Amino acid sequence: MGEALEIIGADGVEGLTMRRLSDNLGVAVGATYKHVPTKEHLLRLVTLELYTRVGSCEPTGADWRRGIRSFLLRFREVVGAYPGMATHISAHVADPMPHRLYTSLNGTLRGVGFSPAGADRVVRVLFFYTSGAMLAPLTLDEHADAEFAAGLDLVLDGAHRSLERDRAAPDQTTTDRTAPI
């Protein structure tokens, strides 16, 4: 995967061809196709490698937002370092957020008190924000990293307020049972 990532890093997804990969590896094109049947298959392997490089969302105790922020900044940095990969992933990968990354993020949120539905909602919002920011033209701007981080902080602050409201709300099942009909 290293050579394929090197090509993508230099010339984007469009610059990656099976012939170019073969040339860079010093092997015949047929040998490359023997190991990886199509460019699409190669890009699936590259995507999995990038997800591995992102790693897991590490819980940080009381300051859970810091751990999630770090995770998503790392996700954006890793995938964003390879021009065209975010677009490729959004257009061609059936599950752009693989189960391992979803479970890691969801587990962190549930660990700090989000309900299963609440954690799932926050994961979706964070995923859509991160994906959208990576696909937007702003990603080419010199201030894109700071803008992304500032927006991420807004989203995480909103998630935190939502969690605080849920903790402060009376138990709806008790309220519903005692309400007059």
Side-chain angles (χ1 to χ4, degrees):
M1 287 310 101
E3 194 64 42
L5 282 168
E6 219 174 277
I7 293 169
I8 295 169
D11 296 317
V13 170
E14 299 80 24
L16 178 65
T17 65
M18 297 299 272
R19 177 167 305 287
R20 184 168 177 198
L21 179 62
S22 298
D23 289 346
N24 285 16
L25 291 171
V27 299
V29 175
T32 302
Y33 278 109
K34 183 178 178 181
H35 293 285
V36 183
T38 65
K39 179 180 175 180
E40 187 60 36
H41 185 83
L42 177 61
L43 287 169
R44 275 196 297 275
L45 295 173
V46 166
T47 300
L48 291 174
E49 173 61 25
L50 292 178
Y51 289 159
T52 298
R53 290 180 181 191
V54 170
S56 297
C57 181
E58 299 297 327
T60 56
D63 191 8
W64 56 272
R65 290 177 288 181
R66 189 177 74 211
I68 292 173
R69 183 181 197 272
S70 175
F71 171 75
L72 291 172
L73 289 173
R74 189 171 59 249
F75 184 89
R76 183 174 181 271
E77 178 183 352
V78 168
V79 176
Y82 299 95
M85 281 306 298
T87 301
H88 172 78
I89 290 168
S90 73
H92 300 286
V93 176
D95 186 8
M97 179 175 245
H99 183 71
R100 183 180 58 78
L101 295 181
Y102 170 85
T103 301
S104 173
L105 189 53
N106 188 283
T108 296
L109 291 164
R110 290 183 65 181
V112 298
F114 280 94
S115 68
D120 188 56
R121 184 179 319 109
V122 172
V123 169
R124 284 192 314 257
V125 167
L126 291 168
F127 171 74
F128 289 130
Y129 172 72
T130 303
S131 298
M134 291 177 71
L135 295 173
L138 180 64
T139 57
L140 303 176
D141 184 89
E142 64 189 45
H143 304 289
D145 291 340
E147 289 296 320
F148 175 75
L152 184 55
D153 289 340
L154 288 173
V155 173
L156 289 170
D157 288 348
H160 179 71
R161 284 191 299 281
S162 174
L163 178 61
E164 294 294 312
R165 275 193 311 273
D166 288 351
R167 287 178 175 161
D171 182 1
Q172 291 300 310
T173 56
T174 304
T175 304
D176 291 344
R177 277 187 274 143
T178 60
I181 298 179

